[in-house]
Amino acid sequence: MKCKVCREPAVIDIRRHNANFCGDHFLKLVRDQTQKAIDEFKMFAPGERILVAVSGGKDSLALWDILLELGYEANGLYIGLGIGGYSDRSGDQVRAFAAERGLKLEQIELRDQYGYDVPTAAAVTKRVPCSACGLSKRHLFDKAALQGGYDAVATGHNLDDEAAVLFGNTLRWQTEYLARQHPVLPARPGFPRKVKPLVRLGEREMAAYCVLRGIDYIVEECPMAVGNKHIGYKEALNAIEATSPGAKQAFYFGFLARAVERFADAAPAYAEAGDTAACTRCGVPTTSEICAFCRLLERTAGAEPVHLTIKGKRVDA
Ligand code: AMP
Ligand code: FES
Ligand code: ZN
Ligand code: ZN
């Protein structure tokens, strides 16, 4: 197996590109593909300030590293979700990454700053943990970016993530979600621009990038996500990709090129953000009097912290 570029021994094969790469040329490929996504979707320009949401996992830590290597100004944002030992370990990973490289990291602890954590919010709202978790993350990413004067919030969603979400949205024809599934969401009043620069790269490539760059990341997945639909969609797509390399990329980029615009009507609230009012508590634009985040704060206020169990197993240790 030889590198496609220099013919030296290769360390990785990328079947959808039908090519093998040595370490150096693979790192270059990853940076080039990231830059290509940034340019193709006009995510941001040199000189703009980026806030990278970092979870401690491979994708977001690699993204932070890549953006810095590409010469962008990027600070990190970590949100401590209070999911027991998993959150402790992911926070440690992010802090170590930032400290070793002398990077600026903003940190928010849900329990300390907002008086609740994800397991407690899930118990109080009686919904799946990922729902309170996603709501909290979105609200706090937006707030931190606006307060810090950042031009965009970048997340580590990769091709596998986006293809799986697209698969789920398509299976159920969730047209409103389909309309918004784009690697760039432009800024609108009260909300910063949001970008996903890793959409041209897969999970396996991000793991290899971290290994080659010596980036330590948390390998365990969120214990509360175990068994969720998203994981099933990824497995289904992986099975298809195994016999049909490039299928995932064709599915996702074909959707962006030829289908996403057809769903524009399904997300009018997004297109015309004008008919929203400011949340009476926190001021973010919302369609009701109090935004979903402030309602969550109200519901979790004073709630006893819970130990969440999934299928009889405690997941907060
Ligand atoms: P996930 O929803 O866990 O697949 O994560 C998607 C992306 O959201 C990650 O790549 C990060 O950019 C960001 N993210 C997830 N969890 C956190 C967290 N606790 N703090 C900051 N960013 C996060
Ligand atoms: Fe949000 Fe697991 S990361 S519930
Ligand atoms: Zn090479
Ligand atoms: Zn609010």
Side-chain angles (χ1 to χ4, degrees):
M1 202 164 92
K2 285 191 177 142
C3 172
K4 175 188 172 180
V5 184
C6 68
R7 312 310 296 164
E8 292 294 312
V11 296
I12 187 166
D13 66 307
I14 304 185
R15 287 184 65 206
R16 73 172 184 287
H17 292 189
N18 197 15
N20 308 318
F21 296 91
C22 71
D24 285 348
H25 286 117
F26 173 71
L27 293 177
K28 181 174 183 311
L29 172 98
V30 170
R31 291 178 192 130
D32 289 351
Q33 291 292 325
T34 308
Q35 186 66 62
K36 187 170 172 185
I38 293 169
D39 296 341
E40 185 176 7
F41 299 106
K42 301 189 174 59
M43 293 186 179
F44 42 79
E48 290 195 304
R49 293 178 65 236
I50 316 303
L51 185 62
V52 186
V54 275
S55 64
K58 62 186 184 325
D59 305 302
S60 49
L61 288 179
L63 173 61
W64 198 2
D65 182 72
I66 295 165
L67 292 182
L68 294 169
E69 288 290 311
L70 290 173
Y72 291 103
E73 186 186 339
N75 293 339
L77 168 66
Y78 171 72
I79 298 177
L81 301 163
I83 306 175
Y86 168 74
S87 288
D88 297 339
R89 290 185 286 279
S90 42
D92 288 347
Q93 206 67 262
V94 173
R95 285 183 284 270
F97 179 92
E100 278 163 20
R101 294 162 180 79
L103 305 176
K104 181 159 182 249
L105 174 67
E106 303 193 20
Q107 299 187 61
I108 298 170
E109 273 302 323
L110 279 187
R111 193 35 70 216
D112 300 345
Q113 282 156 265
Y114 294 95
Y116 75 96
D117 51 40
V118 165
T120 308
V124 169
T125 56
K126 301 194 176 62
R127 307 230 356 230
V128 290
C130 302
S131 139
C133 173
L135 167 65
S136 309
K137 285 191 289 201
R138 283 191 301 276
H139 181 90
L140 297 171
F141 291 170
D142 292 349
K143 185 172 170 184
L146 293 176
Q147 285 185 347
Y150 290 92
D151 295 292
V153 177
T155 52
H157 295 95
N158 59 39
L159 176 61
D160 295 70
D161 297 322
E162 293 307 292
V165 170
L166 175 61
F167 191 54
N169 289 341
T170 307
L171 269 182
R172 292 186 171 69
W173 292 112
Q174 287 170 306
T175 52
E176 193 179 333
Y177 293 148
L178 286 168
R180 291 180 203 183
Q181 202 184 342
H182 200 270
V184 186
L185 291 180
R188 53 192 170 117
F191 299 100
R193 188 188 325 153
K194 288 180 205 158
V195 300
K196 298 174 180 171
L198 298 183
V199 288
R200 300 190 62 86
L201 293 152
E203 209 132 85
R204 182 168 159 265
E205 286 122 58
M206 298 326 297
Y209 181 89
C210 286
V211 171
L212 289 169
R213 289 283 294 163
I215 297 172
D216 265 334
Y217 61 90
I218 180 161
V219 177
E220 64 188 293
E221 299 281 344
C222 169
M224 302 191 135
V226 172
N228 79 7
K229 291 198 192 97
H230 193 76
I231 294 176
Y233 298 151
K234 275 193 178 172
E235 286 168 359
L237 287 173
N238 285 342
I240 296 170
E241 183 79 17
T243 53
S244 179
K248 256 183 239 177
Q249 182 158 342
F251 178 50
Y252 177 65
F253 284 94
F255 165 76
L256 293 179
R258 295 191 292 279
V260 66
E261 278 180 11
R262 298 174 191 235
F263 297 102
D265 294 352
Y270 192 80
E272 321 145 7
D275 48 331
T276 55
C279 167
T280 53
R281 307 259 163 95
C282 75
V284 307
T286 168
T287 47
S288 43
E289 191 189 330
I290 301 174
C291 77
F293 182 77
C294 290
R295 285 202 302 273
L296 183 65
L297 283 185
E298 193 170 77
R299 294 183 73 182
T300 51
E304 278 294 308
V306 301
H307 296 298
L308 204 84
T309 56
I310 290 176
K311 295 191 178 125
K313 192 173 140 240
R314 255 179 82 169
V315 294
D316 55 357

